[in-house]
Amino acid sequence: MTQQETAPVPALLRKTKQPKECFLIQPKETKEGATKTRRRRKKKITDVLAKSEPKPGTPEDLQKLMKDYYSTNRSVIELEELNLPDSCFLKANDSTHSLSSYLKEICPKWVKLRKNHNEKKSVLMLIICSSAVRALELIRSMTAFRGDSKVIKLFAKHIKVQEQVKLLEKRVVHLGVGTPGRIKELIKQGGLNLNPLKFLVFDWNWRDQKLRRMMDIPEIRKEVFELLEMGVLSLCKSESLKLGLF
């Protein structure tokens, strides 16, 4: 009789305890799991960008950015005047080139061109990028193209405007590499004349640690468009200046 009485007790305990544990724990885990995955997705936007294949910039990209930038404060006629003909643009980098190979392709007669250049306070080619650090990288990477060309750093970090003005006054320079803000300032102060300029190249496709291109940074984008209106657009329309997207 004692065996019959004690046998059903553990069976009843198992039936009552197990369902309670399952039903109480499972809903909490699924809710917490859902919120955790949502939070993680928000933090991984840069990871998605890193995995996506970057598309090389095109002249259409520049034209569209200009229209978007000026659309709020320009009339339809003024916006049409910002349109640049296709002949203004050099072949864009298709992401297969190094800087030197790209510059050689867009300017095969560079050696002859620089030999004929003797105007001070000017350059034949400007390369515009987002920062001083990036400018130094570009200068190092264009050794094969530049040869004996005189290069000037046109950025604000550790270099005063007046120092750059004096350098441009003192000697003939062929290549300038720098940021749009400093280049703008040099033009304002009369230290840099754009008329002899033949090539303006944007460091368009390179991305920084936050995966931003130069034109993704609002202050850089603003300075680029202000620079374009300081004589660059009119030189492009007269076909004496060509634009390139590296």
Side-chain angles (χ1 to χ4, degrees):
M1 287 295 287
T2 51
Q3 285 178 351
Q4 286 176 353
E5 284 173 7
T6 51
V9 176
L12 284 166
L13 284 169
R14 277 191 217 106
K15 282 178 188 175
T16 51
K17 279 183 183 178
Q18 279 182 343
K20 280 181 185 176
E21 285 175 5
C22 290
F23 287 116
L24 285 169
I25 292 165
Q26 275 185 333
K28 283 182 184 176
E29 282 179 354
T30 50
K31 281 177 187 176
E32 283 170 14
T35 52
K36 277 179 187 175
T37 49
R38 278 192 204 117
R39 280 175 197 159
R40 277 186 202 133
R41 275 174 198 153
K42 283 179 186 176
K43 288 176 186 177
K44 289 188 176 180
I45 292 167
T46 51
D47 293 339
V48 174
L49 281 170
K51 286 174 186 176
S52 64
E53 279 192 36
K55 291 180 182 178
T58 62
E60 291 75 23
D61 293 336
L62 177 58
Q63 300 268 42
K64 186 181 182 302
L65 277 176
M66 283 175 69
K67 279 187 177 177
D68 292 346
Y69 181 79
Y70 289 115
S71 60
T72 54
N73 56 8
R74 300 287 169 100
S75 66
V76 176
I77 296 164
E78 285 172 325
L79 287 172
E80 282 176 10
E81 286 173 358
L82 292 170
N83 281 337
L84 292 169
D86 293 339
S87 57
C88 288
F89 293 95
L90 298 155
K91 186 181 177 182
N93 180 23
D94 57 4
S95 298
T96 60
H97 283 286
S98 67
L99 181 57
S100 281
S101 67
Y102 176 68
L103 296 179
K104 281 177 183 177
E105 183 175 276
I106 64 170
C107 185
K109 295 179 181 177
W110 175 252
V111 176
K112 187 181 176 182
L113 198 65
R114 70 174 174 80
K115 279 181 181 175
N116 294 332
H117 177 65
N118 52 19
E119 286 188 55
K120 292 176 182 176
K121 296 171 71 172
S122 68
V123 293
L124 286 171
M125 182 183 288
L126 266 179
I127 300 172
I128 295 176
C129 58
S130 58
S131 70
V133 174
R134 178 60 180 162
L136 293 172
E137 284 176 12
L138 290 170
I139 291 167
R140 283 193 293 270
S141 67
M142 63 196 279
T143 310
F145 169 78
R146 76 180 196 224
D148 297 330
S149 306
K150 296 285 183 282
V151 183
I152 187 167
K153 301 164 190 170
L154 301 176
F155 48 76
K157 196 172 185 179
H158 307 310
I159 309 171
K160 292 178 181 177
V161 182
Q162 288 310 311
E163 287 176 30
Q164 289 162 335
V165 170
K166 283 175 186 175
L167 281 170
L168 287 162
E169 284 174 348
K170 207 188 294 184
R171 63 181 186 181
V172 174
V173 181
H174 307 103
L175 277 157
V177 184
T179 54
R182 177 48 61 94
I183 293 164
K184 256 175 54 192
E185 191 57 37
L186 285 163
I187 296 165
K188 275 182 191 175
Q189 295 199 18
L192 183 63
N193 174 21
L194 291 182
N195 289 329
L197 187 65
K198 299 296 175 195
F199 302 94
L200 180 64
V201 178
F202 294 102
D203 182 33
W204 192 273
N205 298 304
W206 181 80
R207 292 176 185 267
D208 64 13
Q209 287 182 333
K210 295 179 181 177
L211 299 174
R212 300 174 303 176
R213 296 166 303 172
M214 63 177 287
M215 296 301 274
D216 295 330
I217 304 166
E219 57 270 27
I220 297 290
R221 185 166 62 242
K222 179 177 178 285
E223 287 175 339
V224 164
F225 290 133
E226 286 172 357
L227 174 61
L228 291 179
E229 288 198 282
M230 293 175 80
V232 172
L233 292 176
S234 56
L235 286 170
C236 287
K237 286 176 182 178
S238 69
E239 297 197 356
S240 67
L241 175 62
K242 304 287 182 187
L243 300 178
L245 307 180
F246 171 64

